[in-house]
Amino acid sequence: MSRTEIKIGGFGGQGVILSGYIIGRAASIYDDKHSTMIQAFGPEARGSACSSQVIVSPTEIAYPYITAPEIMIVMSQEAYTKFTPELANGGILITEEELVQPHNLRKDIKHFSIPATRFAEELGKKMVLNIVMMGFMTAVTNIVDVEAMRKAVKVSVPKGTEELNLNAFNKGFEYGISQKAKLN
Amino acid sequence: MKSDPKGVLTGAHFIDGDHACAEGAIAAGCRFVAGYPITPSTEVVERIADRFPLIGGMFIQMEDEIASSIAIQGAVWGGKKAMTVTSGPGFSLMMEHIGLAAMTEVPCVFVDVQRGGPSTGLPTLPGQGDMMQARWGSHGDYGIIALCPNSPQECFDFTIKAFNLSEQYRVPVLLMMDECVGHMTERVIVPPADQIEIYPRRFYEGPKEEFLLFKPDNDMVPPMVKAGDGYNIHVTGLTHDEKGYPVMTVAAQEKLVHRLIDKIKMNADKIVEYKEDQVEGADVVVVSYGITSRVAIPAIDQARKEGMKVGHLRLIVAWPFPEKRIKELATKIKSFVVPEINYGQMVHEVERHSAGKVRVELVGHGGGAVHNPKDIYNVIKNSVKG
């Protein structure tokens, strides 16, 4: 694996920043890799488009920003429209199936989708949709070791919600494995 | 001396540069912070406000930056290690008291998380436009120390270093961060407390009746006492004698101000710190600092791939400036390339000390973003041609 750039987009409140944080924490603390996370930092309001960018690399990261992400996770239509043109050739696009209509989907990329919000609701809390997404992403990209991701999820979510969040992660992960099998 | 284990969060963390700076201050023994929160430095004081009550520290959210920068000096005379944190507009307001801390030799730390300026400029975006202000911002002559971290890990390490240098030389030390480093999240390793070296305050140990508040030791630095410990203390920003009393003479001015400059200048070899990469045999040397020292790396790598002999000299301590090394390199190389997120500040130092012997090229940037490495690469390429 070489330097890999990841962009996560959605609207404020979906856990976009926490998702980036979990990937970076898993990679750099529990998976012996390097990681740099930068969050779009501006006078944005809750509910508007927001994004986080994470770099995962086996070696030290010099330039800290992403230029052409190889992995993109979008959880809102606005984020889809705004960010997908940035995705690198041959990159992986992951969308929230019921929130994003992939209009004019680029032909040069791999696309996966998951009804993460619905899965989260079935687990009892809509809020964990980002963690469902993280499980799914881990399965379809292999960017970070799955156990490292589980550890990072466990220590990054509010106390008392660990089990719910790990269930959410596993749900997304299993769905990812099945989707990937279909593709092959 | 080793760090007080109380409050040291030994382990691996995934935190941003601002939070790492707060943890560095705690590990360094800082127990008083006064500040007027300002983007992009706010997260430093947020973390301090969160952590201090658990470890016996005091944080005061002050009415402004002027008050913040004087409150910390009161705390130092009371025996604490203290710091204030700000960004460009606040840094401007603190200049008067940076001068006071230099004049009255108060060991303390000023953190400036630089953003785009001048004035309120670009609150949420990076800049490196406060570098000359760091050196010359307060009126009059004095020596100063400024450090430039380029990662959250260094925000932790260099905050400790800043406190140590401030105690060793009884001088305000400026930690010149920038928005990118402050808001960037990476792994930060906090070592066990017994592996963190702390320079203790230099307390006076001689007989009480012979004590003079500003009588220097052989290295030109006077030892301190705490207010309230029974020593005669008179601290003033006016030109003063060794007792601390105001003396309005040319001779007193000469003696005091010269020492304030010389204690840094004469110890510069011990304070100056930089990192070099493939500088020996290079045609071009890139001189960089802070976040730009990372942004320059892809540009340098690209140039090297194409066969250009490019070295990299990264300033860790910006002030005092590594004048000797620049002078020496100027006799060996063809040109210096200096990328910085301003329209030319540290480049003037490189020009001054290379004294016309080699070309010096600025890669300027007005702020609001870091450079595109291509812009740095292009200047390297042109300067190799000569």
Side-chain angles (χ1 to χ4, degrees), chain A residues 20-30 32-39 41-43 54 60-65 67, chain B residues 12-16 39-40 43 123-126 179-180 183-188 291 294-295 297-298 369-373:
Chain A
Y21 179 82
I22 287 171
I23 297 171
R25 193 172 188 180
S28 69
I29 308 289
Y30 303 113
D32 207 24
K33 295 184 169 91
H34 293 266
S35 183
T36 301
M37 183 183 94
I38 301 243
Q39 35 184 304
F41 193 93
V54 197
E60 249 180 72
I61 295 163
Y63 186 76
Y65 292 95
T67 48
Chain B
H13 305 268
F14 192 61
I15 53 176
D16 72 16
T39 304
E43 291 86 343
T124 62
L125 300 168
E179 187 277 338
C180 184
H183 282 156
M184 166 199 294
T185 303
E186 287 185 339
R187 176 176 55 219
V188 173
I291 188 56
R294 288 173 62 163
V295 172
I297 289 173
V370 300
H371 290 76
N372 182 335

Side-chain angles (χ1 to χ4, degrees), chain A residues 5-55:
Chain A
E5 300 182 350
I6 305 159
K7 185 161 189 164
I8 307 166
F11 47 81
Q14 279 183 321
V16 167
I17 307 295
L18 181 64
S19 300
Y21 179 82
I22 287 171
I23 297 171
R25 193 172 188 180
S28 69
I29 308 289
Y30 303 113
D31 200 12
D32 207 24
K33 295 184 169 91
H34 293 266
S35 183
T36 301
M37 183 183 94
I38 301 243
Q39 35 184 304
F41 193 93
E44 282 103 350
R46 187 172 292 257
S48 65
C50 73
S51 67
S52 68
Q53 14 178 312
V54 197
I55 301 164

Side-chain angles (χ1 to χ4, degrees), chain A residues 3-116:
Chain A
R3 171 187 166 117
T4 305
E5 300 182 350
I6 305 159
K7 185 161 189 164
I8 307 166
F11 47 81
Q14 279 183 321
V16 167
I17 307 295
L18 181 64
S19 300
Y21 179 82
I22 287 171
I23 297 171
R25 193 172 188 180
S28 69
I29 308 289
Y30 303 113
D31 200 12
D32 207 24
K33 295 184 169 91
H34 293 266
S35 183
T36 301
M37 183 183 94
I38 301 243
Q39 35 184 304
F41 193 93
E44 282 103 350
R46 187 172 292 257
S48 65
C50 73
S51 67
S52 68
Q53 14 178 312
V54 197
I55 301 164
V56 174
S57 171
T59 53
E60 249 180 72
I61 295 163
Y63 186 76
Y65 292 95
I66 66 172
T67 48
E70 289 90 6
I71 298 171
M72 183 173 285
I73 302 165
V74 291
M75 301 196 268
S76 76
Q77 195 64 40
E78 192 183 349
Y80 176 83
T81 312
K82 198 169 160 189
F83 299 138
T84 45
E86 298 167 18
L87 184 60
N89 266 330
I92 297 175
L93 174 68
I94 298 169
T95 57
E96 208 295 344
E97 199 168 297
E98 290 167 9
L99 295 176
V100 177
Q101 292 298 318
H103 297 305
N104 304 321
L105 187 66
R106 280 172 55 182
K107 302 276 184 291
D108 61 326
I109 56 163
K110 283 181 219 143
H111 176 229
F112 294 92
S113 71
I114 174 172

Side-chain angles (χ1 to χ4, degrees), chain B residues 216-251:
Chain B
D217 283 346
N218 289 337
D219 64 353
M220 289 176 279
V221 183
M224 273 189 107
V225 292
K226 263 190 272 185
D229 273 1
Y231 293 89
N232 291 324
I233 289 188
H234 188 274
V235 182
T236 174
L238 289 167
T239 297
H240 45 268
D241 60 13
E242 289 183 349
K243 270 191 268 181
Y245 292 177
V247 182
M248 304 294 106
T249 66
V250 175

Side-chain angles (χ1 to χ4, degrees), chain B residues 88-136:
Chain B
F91 197 50
S92 291
L93 288 171
M94 289 181 181
M95 286 302 135
E96 160 72 9
H97 288 148
I98 288 174
L100 179 70
M103 185 66 150
T104 53
E105 301 179 72
V106 178
C108 55
V109 173
F110 289 75
V111 178
D112 177 17
V113 187
Q114 297 173 83
R115 63 194 220 184
S119 190
T120 30
L122 300 165
T124 62
L125 300 168
Q128 294 184 312
D130 308 352
M131 296 307 297
M132 279 292 169
Q133 186 183 26
R135 177 63 190 91
W136 303 108

Side-chain angles (χ1 to χ4, degrees), chain A residues 144-155:
Chain A
V144 186
D145 173 68
V146 61
E147 278 316 312
M149 283 295 286
R150 286 201 180 101
K151 280 183 198 160
V153 167
K154 203 173 159 188
V155 295

